[in-house]
């Protein structure tokens, strides 16, 4: 029987908090059970295991991040939307390192296709990129460019890997400017 007060949503939120505090890799069912003062087995009434918990964390964090990005880009297009998107992405990644790490896991493709969170994320990102006149397959390529650029920069920044004396925010802004130029001048296949 489920323990009073424990729900899947409470467990996932607590796991996300633990990820931000102790690191994504330190989120275990045992650590989560200790946080609630219950035995590990009590959690299985709410989640199927660590993989299920991490998938739910990824969806929670992805939804939070998308909400912030959507609010930032609302009413904006082109470079202004791209800069707002980038800023919201970076702020979330740096403020919530454990949650952000959860967004990087590969989700089951059927689950991702059925997830309202993932559909909303795609809608927001594609909306920003369609303002640059991009359609498939270029849209997928552009999403990959943005994600890899934003992720790489944030991953390096979060570990203090940028040692040059230049202010990191200035470099971030230059990267966004460069992405804008790349999107405006996107290489198109002949015949399209």
């Amino acid at each position: 029987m489920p323990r009073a007060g424990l729900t899947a949503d409470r467990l996932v939120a607590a796991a996300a908090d633990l990820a931000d505090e102790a690191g994504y890799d330190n989120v275990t069912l045992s650590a989560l059970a200790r946080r609630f003062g219950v035995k590990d087995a009590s959690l299985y009434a709410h989640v199927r295991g660590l993989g299920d918990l991490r998938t739910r964390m990824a969806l929670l964090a992805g939804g939070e991040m998308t909400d912030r990005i959507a609010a930032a880009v609302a009413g904006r297009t082109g470079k202004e939307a791209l800069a707002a998107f980038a800023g919201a992405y970076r702020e979330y990644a740096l403020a919530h390192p454990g949650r952000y790490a959860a967004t990087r896991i590969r989700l089951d493709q059927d689950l991702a296709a059925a997830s309202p969170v993932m559909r909303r994320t795609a809608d927001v990102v594609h909306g920003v990129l369609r303002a640059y006149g991009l359609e498939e397959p270029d849209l997928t390529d552009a999403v990959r460019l943005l994600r890899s650029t934003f992720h790489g920069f944030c991953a390096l920044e979060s570990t203090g890997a940028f040692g040059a004396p230049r202010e990191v925010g200035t470099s971030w802004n230059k990267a966004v400017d460069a992405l804008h130029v790349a999107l405006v001048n996107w290489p198109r296949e002949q015949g399209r």
Side-chain angles (χ1 to χ4, degrees):
M1 175 166 202
R3 187 169 179 94
L6 283 184
T7 65
D9 288 345
R10 280 191 70 207
L11 291 174
V12 172
D17 290 343
L18 179 60
D20 282 342
E21 295 162 15
Y24 176 77
D25 291 333
N26 293 317
V27 175
T28 64
L29 292 176
S30 295
L32 193 55
R34 281 192 300 276
R35 190 166 268 221
F36 282 97
V38 299
K39 296 192 181 302
D40 295 12
S42 300
L43 304 184
Y44 287 95
H46 308 284
V47 295
R48 291 185 302 276
L50 185 59
D52 181 40
L53 178 67
R54 289 188 169 175
T55 295
R56 291 171 186 242
M57 285 173 50
L59 292 172
L60 170 74
E64 291 173 348
M65 192 172 190
T66 298
D67 287 346
R68 289 184 185 196
I69 291 168
V73 303
R76 295 180 164 94
T77 60
K79 185 176 180 183
E80 189 179 334
L82 179 63
F85 180 108
Y89 185 107
R90 180 177 176 224
E91 287 169 13
Y92 188 87
L94 297 177
H96 300 287
R99 281 173 160 84
Y100 177 68
T103 68
R104 296 187 326 246
I105 70 168
R106 181 176 172 86
L107 296 176
D108 174 80
Q109 291 302 302
D110 292 334
L111 173 70
S115 167
V117 168
M118 298 306 290
R119 282 194 304 274
R120 182 157 190 267
T121 300
D123 289 345
V124 170
V125 176
H126 291 171
V128 170
L129 293 173
R130 281 198 180 100
Y132 286 97
L134 299 177
E135 297 293 336
E136 289 299 351
D138 294 324
L139 204 52
T140 294
D141 297 334
V143 169
R144 289 175 176 168
L145 173 65
L146 293 184
R147 187 173 187 205
S148 59
T149 302
F150 295 164
H151 171 66
F153 196 103
C154 291
L156 291 167
E157 182 179 9
S158 69
T159 62
F162 292 130
R166 184 165 173 79
E167 204 275 315
V168 175
T170 302
S171 296
W172 175 261
N173 292 336
K174 289 288 188 181
V176 173
D177 290 346
L179 288 171
H180 171 70
V181 169
L183 292 169
V184 166
N185 297 291
W186 195 262
R188 306 210 194 283
E189 292 180 26
Q190 293 296 325
R192 282 202 299 165

